[in-house]
Amino acid sequence: MQINFTILLDLLGTFAFAVSGIRMASAKQIDWFGAYIIGLVTAIGGGTLRDVLLDVTPFWFLDVKYILTTGLALVAILLFKEKLYQLGSTLFLFDTIGLGLFTVVGITKSIAAGLPFWVCIIMGTITGSVGGVVRDVLLNEVPLIFRKDIYALACVAGGGVYFLCSALDFNADVTAIIAAITVIALRLLSVKFHIHLPQLQPTQKDSKSK
C-alpha cells in the first residue's frame, strides 16, 4: 500500500511540476518540443539529483511513466490553454503542489534507503526544489530558491512535520499527506501574507563599488 501511494504522489508531483514548467516556457514563446523539455527537467530534475546522491539508478531510467506523464501535461496545456491561462496563479499553484508532493517522495525514498532523518529531510528538499532551479536557469530566471520567498524552507518544515507524525505513530499514508499539506500551506500562506526571510543586504562599500 505504501509503495503504491508513494508512486501516486510521485506521478501527481510529476504532472504538477511538468505543467508549471511548460506554463513558464510558454511565456518565453518556446516551441512545443522545447516546452516539453522544460516540463520534463522540472519534473525529474530534483529526483535525478536525489538518486545520484543515493547512488541508485535515476528513477526515470527504469519507468517510462514519468516521460509519458510529462507528455500528458503538455497535451493538457495545449487542450485547455485558454482556461488554464485565465488563472493567473496557475503556475504558482502547480509549482506549489509539486513542491509538496515531491518533498514527501524524496523523504520516503530516503527512509527506504536507511538514511538518518536529517539526511531524509535534505533529500526531500532537493527532490522538491532542484527541478525548479533547473527550469529557472534554463529560462534565464533567478531561481525561486535563491529569492526571499519561502520555498526550500517550506520543504524543510514539511520534513520536520513528517518525522513528528512518524514519532506519534501516525499511519504512513496519513503522515505523507500531512507533510505534503504542510509544505503547500506554508508556501501559499507565505505568498499571500508576504512572509519571507530577510534579504542579505550589501555593505556600503559593496554598494559604492557598483
Side-chain angles (χ1 to χ4, degrees):
M1 176 64 181
Q2 175 62 23
I3 294 177
N4 292 335
F5 189 71
T6 299
I7 291 175
L8 176 61
L9 290 180
D10 210 2
L11 291 176
L12 288 174
T14 297
F15 183 83
F17 260 156
V19 168
S20 78
I22 294 167
R23 173 70 176 86
M24 192 167 178
S26 70
K28 299 286 187 175
Q29 298 182 329
I30 293 175
D31 64 27
W32 289 10
F33 181 73
Y36 174 82
I37 295 300
I38 294 296
L40 183 62
V41 298
T42 306
I44 68 174
T48 300
L49 179 57
R50 175 202 64 222
D51 289 346
V52 169
L53 291 174
L54 291 176
D55 196 25
V56 299
T57 302
F59 63 101
W60 57 276
F61 282 22
L62 306 173
D63 196 335
V64 74
K65 287 197 294 288
Y66 302 96
I67 308 297
L68 297 178
T69 300
T70 301
L72 182 63
L74 177 61
V75 171
I77 288 288
L78 294 175
L79 292 179
F80 306 107
K81 181 172 66 174
E82 295 302 326
K83 292 183 179 180
L84 287 174
Y85 287 13
Q86 286 175 359
L87 303 174
S89 58
T90 300
L91 172 61
F92 168 71
L93 288 175
F94 277 103
D95 187 75
T96 300
I97 292 170
L99 186 69
L101 295 176
F102 271 12
T103 298
V104 171
V105 170
I107 291 172
T108 55
K109 289 189 175 183
S110 300
I111 290 174
L115 297 173
F117 80 93
W118 54 275
V119 177
C120 294
I121 292 175
I122 293 174
M123 288 298 184
T125 302
I126 287 173
T127 307
S129 60
V130 167
V133 172
V134 177
R135 174 200 66 206
D136 292 345
V137 169
L138 290 176
L139 293 176
N140 198 29
E141 297 284 342
V142 178
L144 280 173
I145 196 174
F146 300 139
R147 303 180 201 172
K148 62 184 179 180
D149 293 24
I150 301 297
Y151 195 77
L153 192 59
C155 301
V156 174
V161 168
Y162 185 100
F163 284 99
L164 176 61
C165 291
S166 296
L168 295 174
D169 291 326
F170 282 28
N171 175 273
D173 292 347
V174 173
T175 295
I177 291 172
I178 293 174
I181 290 175
T182 298
V183 176
I184 293 169
L186 284 175
R187 179 83 178 114
L188 292 173
L189 290 172
S190 67
V191 171
K192 180 175 177 60
F193 295 105
H194 306 289
I195 302 170
H196 54 78
L197 296 175
Q199 290 179 298
L200 185 62
Q201 300 296 330
T203 64
Q204 290 183 351
K205 182 178 180 180
D206 292 334
S207 298
K208 290 179 180 178
S209 65
K210 292 182 179 180

